[in-house]
Amino acid sequence: MRETRILMGMPITVDICGASGALIEDVFGYLDRIDRRFSTYKTDSEISAINRGDVPSSGWSNEMIEVLALAERTKEETGGYFDMRRPDGYLDPSGIVKGWAIHNAAGLLHAAGARDFLIEAGGDIQSAGKNASGADWSVGIRNPFDMDQIIKVIYPRGRGVATSGTYARGQHIYNPYGFDEPITEIVSLTVVGPDVLEADRFATAAFAMGRDGIYFIEGIAGLEGYVVDINGRATLTTGFGDLCAP
């Protein structure tokens, strides 16, 4: 069973082989609840209330505490290139919430006995097992200059995939060390990690680093990356090619 809905401001697809409609509803229900807690666009969300100063830290939910702590840890591990604090001082954990939520949704499916599934949201993907045809799930990397074209196909085999870029949403990723300097050297960066959370939390930071981001990914055990620069030239990490073999 495969279904796509608009949540978190983007299409989210859940594909579960042999699943009931109730299980898909559980996944979308969880993602909707996370969106209502963490959306910076909803005035009644918990993160909006925190940014307004309406909720003291003693009243934060356990999920909020977990995500903000993870964001701080990622900031340390990326040398400050991942920073959930916006130039206006407000907290915006959006760069990590998506991967975290997909990771948790995958855990929900696994706990329910699902072994063959894929969840995709805005370029962040977690798959497990096989697709409906009994083959490994494949993930296509879009051409950032022509989104109808796939320029690379990978087979994550249970690993997580996250893509950051400016080709779909414009300049929404910023360099914390140069807020007013748009990132123009690269247009797309895909990271593959042990799971979607690990891939996602490093993809945003690596993109913020510009051309140096792919070298940062190269230096982290368990991560592989594929970057496309403004001239259409692709650079990939040492082990990325292994992911392309069916």
Side-chain angles (χ1 to χ4, degrees):
M1 180 172 286
R2 179 185 180 94
E3 190 166 326
T4 300
R5 300 183 189 177
I6 302 296
L7 281 174
M8 299 181 174
M10 71 192 80
I12 297 180
T13 297
V14 179
D15 191 339
I16 314 172
C17 300
S20 67
L23 188 51
I24 281 190
E25 288 296 334
D26 288 345
V27 173
F28 280 118
Y30 168 75
L31 295 174
D32 179 60
R33 182 172 63 77
I34 293 303
D35 184 40
R36 286 184 281 110
R37 185 181 299 284
F38 287 96
S39 174
T40 57
Y41 298 99
K42 299 181 187 298
T43 57
D44 59 348
S45 70
E46 182 178 356
I47 192 66
S48 292
I50 289 171
N51 280 326
R52 289 194 303 267
D54 294 345
V55 183
S57 58
S58 59
W60 295 358
S61 67
N62 290 335
E63 289 177 326
M64 184 64 65
I65 292 170
E66 179 182 344
V67 166
L68 296 188
L70 183 60
E72 284 298 327
R73 187 180 116 203
T74 305
K75 180 179 180 178
E76 294 176 6
E77 293 175 340
T78 60
Y81 276 94
F82 180 92
D83 192 347
M84 66 177 169
R85 193 168 292 279
R86 301 187 318 208
D88 60 11
Y90 282 5
L91 297 176
D92 183 1
S94 301
I96 208 165
V97 164
K98 185 170 56 169
W100 172 84
I102 296 171
H103 177 67
N104 289 345
L108 185 155
L109 289 179
H110 194 271
R115 295 295 179 266
D116 302 298
F117 60 83
L118 179 144
I119 305 173
E120 189 273 334
D124 288 2
I125 299 169
Q126 181 66 60
S127 62
K130 307 288 185 178
N131 62 24
S133 300
D136 289 326
W137 295 99
S138 61
V139 174
I141 298 176
R142 294 185 185 277
N143 180 348
F145 304 103
D146 180 0
M147 291 181 61
D148 292 329
Q149 180 184 14
I150 299 297
I151 56 174
K152 187 70 66 174
V153 176
I154 61 174
Y155 299 85
R157 297 184 174 91
R159 303 179 76 187
V161 182
T163 297
S164 290
T166 53
Y167 60 94
R169 296 173 55 196
Q171 291 287 338
H172 69 287
I173 303 171
Y174 63 87
N175 176 357
Y177 296 106
F179 288 124
D180 299 326
E181 301 172 9
I183 301 168
T184 58
E185 299 175 323
I186 61 174
V187 291
S188 172
L189 173 63
T190 297
V191 175
V192 182
D195 56 54
V196 67
L197 175 56
E198 290 302 286
D200 186 43
R201 71 192 193 94
F202 288 110
T204 303
F207 191 90
M209 296 176 188
R211 290 192 184 277
D212 291 337
I214 194 69
Y215 302 105
F216 172 76
I217 296 300
E218 175 75 43
I220 300 180
L223 298 184
E224 300 294 344
Y226 181 94
V227 66
V228 179
D229 69 17
I230 190 63
N231 299 311
R233 181 177 58 191
T235 303
L236 51 156
T237 55
T238 304
F240 190 87
D242 296 337
L243 297 166
C244 302

